[in-house]
């Protein structure tokens, strides 16, 4: 698996904030049943690392990555938990070098041409565009695509059912990331059926 393949697996990568480990497996199963196999579990909760382990063990069809990797500590934790890919909100040279030397696919966050060019110097051309809406959204990605057409993006942050198609229509967008198919309320209610329905809708966006 490389990051390009992961990004091309489905049009949407669910960004998951899991508060309780008990929700991890049923949530992952619902998303995968809906057609979204690539899952990003953000390392923002106490439950995140154990959730990654449990999903990997119980949902073999899922491709399980860690999000919100922001420093060496979270990178180590993510790798030790068995994360199959790493997502960062921003890109520091030291963190990106450490992630690259692990050999695990990485989806580094950027929102400017300079950052994109720094990562191109390291051989990376598949990037997260974050925070997508706040950083200029569709017009910004179109503009970056002029001089840097070799970069393929996963815009994330403020992307939802209302605008995902516009992003996915861009030549330089491989997939989008978002949390809308796994909202906290549905997770707390254990409404896995509705989450599966939202995932199926997201999976058919392209
Ligand atoms: C995040 O920071 O949680 C992700 O970018 C997801 O953003 P969203 O909730 O706007 O989809």
């Amino acid at each position: 698996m490389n990051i390009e393949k992961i990004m091309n697996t489905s049009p949407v990568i669910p960004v998951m904030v899991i508060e309780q480990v008990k929700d991890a497996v049923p949530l992952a199963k619902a998303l995968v049943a809906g057609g979204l196999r690539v899952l990003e579990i953000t390392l923002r909760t106490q439950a995140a690392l154990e959730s990654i382990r449990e999903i990997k063990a119980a949902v073999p069809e899922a491709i399980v990555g860690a999000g919100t990797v922001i420093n060496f500590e979270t990178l180590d934790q993510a790798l030790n938990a068995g994360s199959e890919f790493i997502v960062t909100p921003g890109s520091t040279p030291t963190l990106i070098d450490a992630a690259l030397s692990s050999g695990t696919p990485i989806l580094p966050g950027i929102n400017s041409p300079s950052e994109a060019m720094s990562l191109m110097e390291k051989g990376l051309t598949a990037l997260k565009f974050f925070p997508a809406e706040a950083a200029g959204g569709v017009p910004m990605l179109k503009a970056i695509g002029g001089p840097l057409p070799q970069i393929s993006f996963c815009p994330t942050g403020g992307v939802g059912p209302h605008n995902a198609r516009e992003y996915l229509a861009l030549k330089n967008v491989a997939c989008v990331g978002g949390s809308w198919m796994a909202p906290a309320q549905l997770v707390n209610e254990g409404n896995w059926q509705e989450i599966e329905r939202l995932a199926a809708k997201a999976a058919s966006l392209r």
Side-chain angles (χ1 to χ4, degrees), residues 87-135:
V87 187
T88 69
S91 299
T92 68
T94 45
L95 179 61
I96 300 307
D97 287 345
L100 279 174
S101 67
S102 77
T104 301
I106 171 166
L107 182 55
I110 64 112
N111 63 29
S112 74
S114 300
E115 292 172 298
M117 287 165 61
S118 297
L119 293 177
M120 282 167 65
E121 288 174 4
K122 296 181 191 290
L124 295 168
T125 54
L127 310 178
K128 166 169 161 166
F129 181 63
F130 177 82
E133 278 292 282

Side-chain angles (χ1 to χ4, degrees), residues 15 17 42 44 128 130 156-159 177-180:
V15 176
V17 181
T42 58
R44 294 181 206 173
K128 166 169 161 166
F130 177 82
T156 305
V159 181
S179 61
W180 76 88

Side-chain angles (χ1 to χ4, degrees), residues 67-82:
T68 323
V69 172
I70 57 169
N71 50 30
F72 295 148
E73 187 190 356
T74 42
L75 176 63
D76 276 347
Q77 290 171 339
L79 295 172
N80 288 336

Side-chain angles (χ1 to χ4, degrees), residues 128-159:
K128 166 169 161 166
F129 181 63
F130 177 82
E133 278 292 282
V138 167
M140 178 72 161
L141 281 169
K142 262 190 204 164
I144 293 178
L148 304 176
Q150 59 277 69
I151 298 187
S152 152
F153 286 102
C154 175
T156 305
V159 181

Side-chain angles (χ1 to χ4, degrees), residues 9-12 29-38 196 199-204:
T9 302
S10 50
V12 181
K29 282 188 172 162
L31 294 168
V32 170
L36 301 178
R37 290 177 54 220
V38 177
E196 180 180 334
K201 260 182 107 171
S204 67

